[in-house]
Amino acid sequence: MELVSDFLQYLPASIVAAGGLTVMMLDGYKARSRTIYTTTMMFLGVALAFATYDLFYAEDQIIFSGMAGAGGTAAFGTFIVVFGTFFTVILTHDYLVGVKHNFPQVYPMIMFCTFGMIVLATATDLVTVFVGLETMSICLYALAGILKDKRLGVESALKYFIMGAFSTGFFLYGISLLYGATGSTSLEVIGAYTDGGLIYWGGVSLLLVAFMFKISAVPFHMWTPDVYTGSPTTITAYMSTAGKTASFVALVLVLDRALPNVSSELTTMFSVIAVMTMVLGNVVAMVQDNVKRMLAYSSIAHVGYLLVGLAAGTVAGYSAVLFYLLAYTFMNVGAFGVVAYYEKNHDVHFNSVESYAGLGYQKPIMGVLLSIFLFSLAGIPISAGFNAKYLVFSAGIEAGLVGLVIVGVLASAASAYYYLRVMVYLYFREGKENVTLMTPKKVYSFSLVFLAVLTLYFGVVPAGVTELIFGFFSEGGIVEALP
Amino acid sequence: MVGLEWYLGVSAMLFVIGVLGVLIRKNAIVVFMCVELMLSAVNISLVAFSSFMGDVHGMILVFFVLCVAAAEACVGLAIVIAIYRNNITADISKINLLRW
Amino acid sequence: METFFFVFIATFAIGTALAMVFSRNTVNSALFLILHMLSISGFYLSLNAQFLAVIQILVYAGAIMVLFLFVIMVLNMDEDETIFSQVDFKQIFAFLLAIVVFAQLIYIGGEFTGTLPDVSTQEMMAVGTVEAIGDELFTTFLLPFEATAILLTAAVVGAMLLAQQNINVEDEN
Amino acid sequence: METLLNLTIYLPLLGLIGILAARSEDAVKWIALAATSVTFAVSLPLIFNFDVASSDTAQFVTESGSLVFGLDIKYIVGLDGLSLLLFMLTTFFGPIVVLGAWTSVKKHVAGFYSMLMILQTGSLGVFASLDLVVFYVFFELTLIPMYFLIGIWGGSGRIAATIKFFLYTLVGSLIMLVALVYVGYHAGAAINNGVFISDWRVLSGMEYQIGLVEQTWLFLAFALAFFIKVPLFPFHTWLPYAHTEAPTAGSVVLAAIMLKMGTYGLIRFCLPLFPNAMLEFAPYIAFLAVIGIVYGALVAMVQKDVKKLVAYSSVSHLGFVVLGLFALNVIGVQGAIIQMINHGLSTGALFLIVGMIYDRRHSRQIEDFGGITTIMPVFAVMFMLAAFSSIGLPGLNGFVGEFLILMGAFTSESIGNIWFAIVATTGVILAAIYMLWMFQRVMFGPVTKEENKNLKDLNAREIGLLIPVMIFIIWIGVRPTHFTQYSEHQVTVLLEQADEKRIAVIESAQNDIHNLPNWASKFYDITPSLAEATTPKTDQDER
């Protein structure tokens, strides 16, 4: 009976997995691609509904005999992942049809990948973290290579695979050493271990290095720009939002549960990495002419901002990171969605910023949406991006990292330059050749509009969701101190 | 009686050989094999820990690592085949289309 | 006897690993890796992990390496490759990194202080059996186990996605 | 009344929805005009119901619950003596700007007016918000529409100009954000049980004081943002470009309203929060302001482009405002406040007038004109009034502001050197020279150019939009007390409070002098307090 209730707590993941298997079999029976897409959306819709329900009503508890959690951060991570997947699948379908690569296997892959992400985001045991991480990564390696008849596509898949597999080795070694030191793989037990010792520290550092690989923090970022540029645009959106969210939620959980005693000692390390990531990401993004590559470097820069929250190492910092992930999902899926739309109208490598000249006036709605998403990414109020940066930086200041925050703020100001550059081409320059954009599908533009509305909504009233997030970490603590 | 340190030492040595291989070899397939080497090196230390602590969890993790290794090999080899289809070599030092 | 066995296996494992990394022919590399995997299962046996020893031979040597060899043969990749033809920055870096990591790992391994619980040989024997592993695998580790099932399915679908040629792509609109 | 205030702020956004729904360009214009006019009409009861006697407390206040969980950030809007006039100026310029752009904007009309509407809401929000974070949000929000206004509808060098404008302002305000968050946490730890707080009414009160070291850095961070926005002398380089490249409506809003956000921020936030730093930095800043006054005037003199001339005259005039503010006495600050309004009216009018002639002639070069008076007499009268107001002719508004500021600067203790005021006075003379010289070259003399002979005089729309501005230019000049009365009480209270706070901070610093770094005790001239200085003495006496 316990098993049944465990599965009930784990419904979104189960539904996604079942959906993936169903879609896979539909493909086996040569179903039409339309049917496959519809079925995928149906399963994802149901999963999203349950994830939303869990987000608000599920209690924080441990299920599957300590292997996974439900409620709290787990529910939050699940929600972001399923939400991001839901919208990327809508965009992906349209995009892949546009570029004539709409393979039926893509949909089960995305579903399995989402399942892996959920497992990762809900894990409370290093074994689960490992399995979830690998499920996610292996699916992403394959998804990165969808454009397999393009040199760019397969090369990005190969690069991603080699880098990913390499970091998996370090990740495992870290787990192994931690296991040896503490005698368990459970995050709780590891968190209770206080003796230190070289094996323990070796394990912690290897584990964190592997995580830095997965979230693409400098100096472990070198795969990111290439992979993000070579992958299909909407899959890039998927990797950089849902994938990154899952890794980050897992990292926050590991820091919060497994390393509560040492997480404050990691502040210096995280600060250094954050500074490098923010500076390098932003500086290199400035010189990019390819919008997709620019967004890839900007996503590295955003990892830097997120690391400021981790460096703070406080409840406020971790909560800010979670809010940031939510906001980042809205705006980045949206931005990549519009980029994919522009790209789809031309050819697969239509991404240079010059080719955007004057596009803002054709299909003005898309131009406005891209502007909203880019302003939000740049952290201009009133957008979710601003609030996210505000929370992260204010957590940093509260933790006394004023210098780090000033670097972050300046980096963020620099980032405005390259986001604005896109808008300069969109609106301020005349297009050289006559480009006609086709009308986007209703569902495509509706989902983008919805994401933009959410971006603005969480820019204006973040109170509700911040309250929810703060509740995940603190029993008592800050909640009582509030007026 | 062979102590735990011996196993850990061998494991570390094998892991480093694997890392070295990944970094210096150019053929994609050999690089994959070196990754497999890294994984199996970790497996040794996991099993050693598990056995010396009398705790089964480490061995179960090894079981999962085996599965993951199999899955990685499956996808990795598919990627190599896709690369060959495009008439590109598997020499990863020549995969330089993407640069910053 | 036990020590002799260990030293033998260890030498064999390290030797084959080095041979794998440094052999110029891809096929030879793969064959050395198979030998290496066999020696690893020797370690498992000496650690009383019978189940894993068997799995190791079945999965690695039996399945994965055959796959590797198969692909190498199909793609006709068995040409020789020069490894040290030109010493570039990356290789020097690799060696330095490897030495650093190795020193670190040895240091960590050597420092292992006796936090181990007292485990009798009897108990050590009991850990690695099929019963013990199966028992835990299907109760405590149910979720990762199921996830692994999905993982393997996904890997197969992914391989299909990447390697299958001429998939029928329906044109919509 | 509270509802009315919120309505005023958000009515333009309602207009924005209407504009987006509108089908034809004419409809867009009329909706924009209606929205801004209604905004102005709705804002009128606010000034009539404003309680002058208690202008130091915010009126018509709306206060929400906490916006972000765990931080005491609230949506607080209200008007007090400092913000009332600027708020009214903003609503007043709404319909004028819309009318001014009526025929000159030809491409993407709906986009243009949408941007104006967002800009209007943003500016109103800046002046009405009483919470630091909400202020910051509105402050940044005004950047986006201005960015597009210059970038899309501007002149040939618009892209470089708009990016420069955006990045300059953004860098400044982001550094201010860090300081602002620091203040929030600092105040929270001091007076709000450790919970972040950013309510201006609490922070400006007596119970919250900031130590000298923190005050220095925080003041510099805040001031940098505001100085860039003003813009004060070394930070002014973005302004001429932005002004010259912006479309007429953009220049008007930029000059009349957005530049005031800088000076407004200085008086609203820097004065009550960092009184010590404000006092000690006053001479240096006055120095920069005076340089700005003279430099702006001299550069304006050699300009060949009328619009650039007006832009540089802005640098000069805003130097006066900053000088008045840092005089830190009632008369100077009052002068600065009224001069903000004056500069808005006169420079706004000048930009409108330059825009009108540009629409007809498609040139702004002084040498392209000459003898326009005979061809366009009504235009000449309007231009003359605006130019005289900008010069500061007695009887017009400019005189009142500049006179008060110079009075304040002469008697100021904070600036401490009468030479600043004397040099600043030359700014008035230089203003007369460059304005009148330009006026003479453009308006008088023979008509040399063929194209100028057929210019049409102002039409009813243009006269109609200039007349209200002219009325206020004369009204303020003749009866300045009608306007200065709104802020008088508050300025007095604010300065008194700042004095008290300053003394209290110095006292606590004296008692704690050992923890004060050397530079700080030197800069703020802190000597050990009497009690501490005398203790060793008495010891010696006893021996």
Side-chain angles (χ1 to χ4, degrees):
Chain A
M1 273 308 102
E2 197 189 314
L3 198 63
V4 175
S5 80
D6 279 356
F7 267 106
L8 283 179
Q9 306 272 11
Y10 218 56
L11 218 45
S14 319
I15 291 169
V16 169
L21 293 170
T22 315
V23 175
M24 186 184 80
M25 281 187 271
L26 279 178
D27 170 38
Y29 286 106
K30 304 259 179 259
R32 293 190 59 237
S33 110
R34 188 88 219 162
T35 325
I36 290 178
Y37 169 65
T38 323
T39 320
T40 311
M41 287 317 295
M42 220 173 63
F43 273 101
L44 279 176
V46 175
L48 184 58
F50 279 111
T52 318
Y53 176 83
D54 280 356
L55 182 61
F56 292 111
Y57 299 107
E59 281 171 32
D60 205 344
Q61 57 180 308
I62 302 290
I63 52 175
F64 286 115
S65 25
M67 287 295 123
T73 42
F76 189 74
T78 310
F79 173 76
I80 301 184
V81 166
V82 178
F83 181 90
T85 312
F86 185 84
F87 284 98
T88 36
V89 170
I90 293 178
L91 305 180
T92 303
H93 178 252
D94 215 35
Y95 173 81
L96 288 181
V97 168
V99 299
K100 307 219 170 4
H101 276 74
N102 189 24
F103 305 123
Q105 287 96 340
V106 171
Y107 299 97
M109 281 311 276
I110 291 183
M111 299 286 257
F112 294 143
C113 192
T114 310
F115 173 75
M117 288 171 184
I118 298 176
V119 171
L120 177 57
T122 56
T124 55
D125 190 292
L126 286 178
V127 175
T128 330
V129 171
F130 174 69
V131 172
L133 192 64
E134 283 311 303
T135 313
M136 174 182 100
S137 305
I138 286 177
C139 295
L140 285 182
Y141 304 150
L143 286 172
I146 291 180
L147 305 175
K148 58 190 178 185
D149 47 357
K150 300 277 191 300
R151 188 170 170 170
L152 214 62
V154 279
E155 284 191 2
S156 82
L158 182 66
K159 213 164 222 180
Y160 195 13
F161 179 81
I162 290 174
M163 287 299 181
F166 190 51
S167 74
T168 300
F170 285 96
F171 189 69
L172 258 183
Y173 212 111
I175 294 182
S176 151
L177 291 181
L178 271 180
Y179 171 66
T182 61
S184 171
T185 51
S186 157
L187 295 186
E188 299 284 337
V189 179
I190 296 174
Y193 180 83
T194 51
D195 286 358
L198 268 174
I199 290 227
Y200 177 76
W201 281 107
V204 169
S205 48
L206 282 174
L207 199 66
L208 289 178
V209 163
F211 262 118
M212 293 300 126
F213 251 113
K214 293 289 176 193
I215 63 174
S216 69
V218 176
F220 309 106
H221 68 286
M222 47 292 190
W223 57 273
T224 318
D226 294 349
V227 173
Y228 281 13
T229 318
S231 308
T233 309
T234 51
I235 296 299
T236 309
Y238 181 57
M239 284 176 199
S240 64
T241 56
K244 207 164 267 182
T245 303
S247 312
F248 250 107
V249 171
L251 179 55
V252 167
L253 275 186
V254 167
L255 288 174
D256 187 44
R257 300 213 173 134
L259 312 168
N261 306 309
V262 300
S263 57
S264 59
E265 294 170 37
L266 297 174
T267 298
T268 326
M269 184 200 95
F270 278 130
S271 304
V272 171
I273 295 181
V275 166
M276 288 195 296
T277 312
M278 289 187 292
V279 170
L280 187 127
N282 281 314
V283 168
V284 182
M286 269 191 223
V287 297
Q288 299 302 325
D289 278 331
N290 182 325
V291 178
K292 222 162 131 185
R293 210 164 168 76
M294 182 274 280
L295 283 174
Y297 276 108
S298 100
S299 93
I300 295 178
H302 281 277
V303 169
Y305 307 138
L306 282 161
L307 284 172
V308 174
L310 293 186
T314 54
V315 169
Y318 292 151
S319 316
V321 167
L322 290 191
F323 182 79
Y324 203 117
L325 291 168
L326 184 71
Y328 188 64
T329 304
F330 297 149
M331 54 203 189
N332 216 31
V333 170
F336 273 111
V338 182
V339 170
Y341 164 75
Y342 284 149
E343 185 185 323
K344 182 166 68 85
N345 280 279
H346 300 272
D347 70 317
V348 179
H349 302 303
F350 169 82
N351 271 323
S352 79
V353 68
E354 277 91 10
S355 51
Y356 280 25
L359 284 189
Y361 298 114
Q362 288 192 42
K363 304 280 172 291
I365 180 88
M366 284 297 179
V368 171
L369 286 174
L370 186 55
S371 308
I372 291 177
F373 294 131
L374 289 181
F375 273 128
S376 177
L377 284 168
I380 307 285
I382 44 167
S383 60
F386 168 72
N387 282 334
K389 267 186 196 162
Y390 178 87
L391 286 174
V392 167
F393 287 151
S394 87
I397 290 178
E398 198 187 13
L401 307 167
V402 179
L404 176 64
V405 170
I406 287 177
V407 172
V409 155
L410 290 178
S412 161
S415 78
Y417 171 76
Y418 54 82
Y419 293 124
L420 290 186
R421 195 154 162 255
V422 176
M423 272 172 273
V424 164
Y425 280 96
L426 270 186
Y427 287 108
F428 302 168
R429 302 214 179 195
E430 304 290 327
K432 282 186 194 114
E433 52 203 296
N434 274 334
V435 181
T436 33
L437 299 177
M438 44 183 170
T439 318
K441 278 202 182 137
K442 278 234 164 53
V443 58
Y444 197 91
S445 39
F446 274 144
S447 44
L448 287 179
V449 168
F450 182 64
L451 288 169
V453 168
L454 282 180
T455 305
L456 294 179
Y457 177 77
F458 284 113
V460 181
V461 270
V465 71
T466 44
E467 184 171 355
L468 189 73
I469 295 170
F470 266 84
F472 295 154
F473 292 99
S474 47
E475 271 88 45
I478 194 161
V479 184
E480 282 170 13
L482 275 175
Chain B
M1 182 73 191
V2 183
L4 178 59
E5 307 84 34
W6 291 90
Y7 286 100
L8 293 184
V10 170
S11 154
M13 235 184 268
L14 290 175
F15 188 80
V16 170
I17 292 172
V19 171
L20 200 63
V22 172
L23 290 176
I24 65 170
R25 288 307 293 258
K26 293 181 196 142
N27 189 311
I29 290 213
V30 183
V31 170
F32 292 174
M33 291 197 285
C34 292
V35 170
E36 302 287 345
L37 193 66
M38 285 165 68
L39 294 186
S40 62
V42 177
N43 283 352
I44 295 176
S45 70
L46 271 175
V47 173
F49 277 130
S50 178
S51 176
F52 278 88
M53 291 192 296
D55 179 56
V56 79
H57 289 194
M59 298 206 183
I60 289 174
L61 183 51
V62 172
F63 173 82
F64 289 125
V65 175
L66 287 178
C67 294
V68 166
E72 268 186 3
C74 181
V75 172
L77 292 174
I79 291 174
V80 170
I81 290 177
I83 289 254
Y84 259 72
R85 286 257 169 76
N86 286 282
N87 292 322
I88 311 170
T89 85
D91 184 341
I92 53 171
S93 67
K94 291 199 181 114
I95 295 182
N96 52 6
L97 195 61
L98 299 157
R99 284 244 175 101
W100 56 303
Chain C
M1 178 65 203
E2 227 179 305
T3 319
F4 172 74
F5 182 70
F6 176 82
V7 171
F8 175 73
I9 297 270
T11 323
F12 190 74
I14 292 171
T16 46
L18 284 171
M20 187 213 103
V21 170
F22 293 114
S23 79
R24 294 179 167 194
N25 191 296
T26 319
V27 176
N28 289 353
S29 280
L31 292 174
F32 277 124
L33 188 58
I34 296 179
L35 286 180
H36 175 76
M37 292 304 168
L38 292 178
S39 67
I40 297 264
S41 76
F43 279 121
Y44 291 171
L45 276 180
S46 80
L47 285 165
N48 300 315
Q50 306 92 335
F51 174 66
L52 286 176
V54 174
I55 292 279
Q56 174 83 10
I57 294 175
L58 280 182
V59 174
Y60 260 114
I64 298 181
M65 289 321 297
V66 169
L67 195 63
F68 268 100
L69 272 176
F70 187 70
V71 171
I72 292 170
M73 296 304 187
V74 164
L75 298 181
N76 206 10
M77 282 192 349
D78 56 348
E79 75 271 22
D80 285 353
E81 178 198 352
T82 50
I83 299 176
F84 293 113
S85 56
Q86 82 274 21
V87 179
D88 62 355
F89 172 73
K90 195 180 157 195
Q91 283 171 343
I92 297 169
F93 174 74
F95 270 108
L96 286 179
L97 185 77
I99 290 165
V100 169
V101 172
F102 179 64
Q104 197 182 352
L105 290 182
I106 288 289
Y107 187 54
I108 289 169
E111 281 284 311
F112 190 75
T113 43
T115 50
L116 293 177
D118 272 336
V119 185
S120 66
T121 324
Q122 204 65 36
E123 282 170 310
M124 276 176 73
M125 295 284 276
V127 165
T129 57
V130 183
E131 293 88 1
I133 292 180
D135 197 26
E136 282 283 288
L137 199 56
F138 293 109
T139 53
T140 316
F141 288 89
L142 183 66
L143 176 69
F145 182 73
E146 299 292 343
T148 316
I150 297 286
L151 166 67
L152 289 169
T153 323
V156 173
V157 178
M160 262 164 72
L161 173 64
L162 287 168
Q164 195 179 347
Q165 230 171 1
N166 310 324
I167 308 182
N168 199 20
V169 178
E170 275 179 61
D171 257 344
E172 292 192 45
N173 306 329
Chain D
M1 279 298 138
E2 295 83 46
T3 345
L4 222 54
L5 178 61
N6 281 311
L7 197 64
T8 315
I9 299 176
Y10 296 109
L11 254 177
L13 283 190
L14 217 63
L16 172 68
I17 296 170
I19 286 170
L20 293 180
R23 289 276 154 225
S24 73
E25 291 189 354
D26 277 337
V28 166
K29 290 174 187 172
W30 282 108
I31 290 171
L33 182 62
T36 44
S37 311
V38 172
T39 310
F40 180 53
V42 169
S43 71
L44 282 176
L46 296 174
I47 195 165
F48 293 135
N49 285 320
F50 189 79
D51 184 2
V52 179
S54 59
S55 67
D56 60 320
T57 50
Q59 297 170 33
F60 326 121
V61 175
T62 315
E63 188 172 345
S64 77
S66 169
L67 287 181
V68 180
F69 183 78
L71 311 174
D72 225 351
I73 300 169
K74 295 172 191 159
Y75 172 77
I76 311 170
V77 289
L79 293 177
D80 57 14
L82 294 179
S83 53
L84 179 75
L85 283 181
L86 286 167
F87 190 83
M88 295 308 298
L89 181 75
T90 311
T91 59
F92 170 72
F93 260 104
I96 290 176
V97 167
V98 170
L99 272 177
W102 201 259
T103 51
S104 53
V105 172
K106 295 194 176 65
K107 58 173 183 180
H108 315 305
V109 176
F112 182 85
Y113 287 103
S114 333
M115 288 302 147
L116 276 186
M117 295 298 122
I118 298 176
L119 192 53
Q120 183 81 347
T121 292
S123 320
L124 291 172
V126 166
F127 293 126
S129 52
L130 287 172
D131 184 283
L132 269 72
V133 176
V134 177
F135 169 84
Y136 177 83
V137 167
F138 280 118
F139 190 76
E140 290 280 273
L141 189 62
T142 54
L143 283 186
I144 300 171
M146 192 43 91
Y147 172 72
F148 283 114
L149 279 180
I150 301 175
I152 299 178
W153 294 275
S156 52
R158 59 188 192 274
I159 294 175
T162 194
I163 289 186
K164 198 168 184 186
F165 156 74
F166 196 96
L167 290 183
Y168 255 72
T169 327
L170 187 68
V171 169
S173 53
L174 279 173
I175 290 176
M176 177 177 86
L177 178 66
V178 177
L180 191 155
V181 172
Y182 188 91
V183 169
Y185 279 115
H186 189 260
I191 48 173
N192 200 26
N193 303 325
V195 178
F196 183 97
I197 186 166
S198 54
D199 184 342
W200 180 80
R201 296 167 302 173
V202 177
L203 295 184
S204 66
M206 276 304 290
E207 57 270 32
Y208 175 55
Q209 291 152 4
I210 308 176
L212 288 175
V213 181
E214 283 124 325
Q215 247 189 52
T216 317
W217 296 116
L218 293 173
F219 170 77
L220 287 176
F222 268 81
L224 180 68
F226 294 135
F227 286 162
I228 289 176
K229 195 92 178 181
V230 170
L232 197 65
F233 163 63
F235 311 108
H236 70 281
T237 50
W238 63 267
L239 180 87
Y241 290 98
H243 262 323
T244 324
E245 300 302 337
T248 304
S251 311
V252 173
V253 177
L254 195 59
I257 293 151
M258 284 183 74
L259 300 188
K260 307 303 174 301
M261 289 171 191
T263 42
Y264 171 76
L266 282 174
I267 187 168
R268 157 123 10 229
F269 297 109
C270 290
L271 180 61
L273 285 174
F274 323 115
N276 300 63
M278 193 94 174
L279 181 73
E280 293 301 331
F281 277 105
Y284 307 100
I285 289 158
F287 179 65
L288 291 180
V290 169
I291 290 183
I293 291 172
V294 177
Y295 167 86
L298 289 177
V299 178
M301 212 178 288
V302 298
Q303 293 305 318
K304 294 183 176 126
D305 182 325
V306 184
K307 207 171 180 186
K308 242 184 180 153
L309 187 146
V310 180
Y312 274 106
S313 84
S314 267
V315 176
S316 180
H317 285 148
L318 283 159
F320 275 108
V321 178
V322 174
L323 184 68
L325 278 183
F326 280 85
L328 292 183
N329 49 20
V330 176
I331 198 161
V333 175
Q334 276 285 68
I337 291 175
I338 199 74
Q339 182 66 6
M340 289 189 220
I341 309 292
N342 294 338
H343 176 260
L345 291 169
S346 59
T347 311
L350 279 174
F351 275 123
L352 283 170
I353 285 164
V354 173
M356 286 167 191
I357 191 83
Y358 180 76
D359 283 347
R360 288 172 170 69
R361 187 66 177 69
H362 296 289
S363 166
R364 292 187 299 247
Q365 302 301 314
I366 294 175
E367 62 192 23
D368 285 349
F369 298 103
I372 306 290
T373 318
T374 49
I375 306 163
M376 303 167 74
V378 184
F379 175 78
V381 173
M382 296 291 183
F383 197 178
M384 191 186 67
L385 260 176
F388 282 168
S389 147
S390 177
I391 294 166
L393 195 75
L396 296 180
N397 62 351
F399 174 73
V400 179
E402 282 173 6
F403 182 73
L404 287 176
I405 288 172
L406 289 174
M407 283 278 289
F410 271 115
T411 55
S412 164
E413 284 168 20
S414 63
I415 299 177
N417 195 333
I418 203 161
W419 279 101
F420 288 129
I422 293 171
V423 177
T425 316
T426 61
V428 183
I429 300 161
L430 289 172
I433 295 173
Y434 65 74
M435 268 299 165
L436 291 178
W437 191 33
M438 179 270 286
F439 192 78
Q440 182 245 325
R441 281 182 291 167
V442 171
M443 304 306 287
F444 298 131
V447 184
T448 48
K449 301 265 159 122
E450 207 46 46
E451 302 95 315
N452 291 341
K453 288 193 175 142
N454 299 323
L455 291 179
K456 284 200 186 95
D457 205 351
L458 301 187
N459 58 24
R461 172 181 64 85
E462 287 163 336
I463 296 174
L465 73 92
L466 283 175
I467 287 286
V469 184
M470 297 306 159
I471 290 175
F472 277 101
I473 283 179
I474 296 169
W475 188 356
I476 298 180
V478 180
R479 282 276 176 278
T481 46
H482 287 186
F483 298 89
T484 51
Q485 59 165 347
Y486 291 109
S487 52
E488 192 163 8
H489 180 56
Q490 178 163 27
V491 168
T492 319
V493 172
L494 216 56
L495 286 170
E496 274 168 11
Q497 255 185 13
D499 268 333
E500 272 175 55
K501 223 171 171 176
R502 189 179 298 140
I503 291 162
V505 171
I506 284 180
E507 265 171 14
S508 66
Q510 279 171 340
N511 292 332
D512 198 23
I513 194 159
H514 306 295
N515 292 331
L516 207 62
N518 241 344
W519 61 265
S521 51
K522 234 176 238 166
F523 187 72
Y524 290 101
D525 199 18
I526 306 287
T527 46
S529 69
L530 225 55
E532 249 180 73
T534 48
T535 353
K537 228 181 197 175
T538 48
D539 278 1
Q540 272 183 349
D541 286 350
E542 276 171 20
R543 271 178 217 154

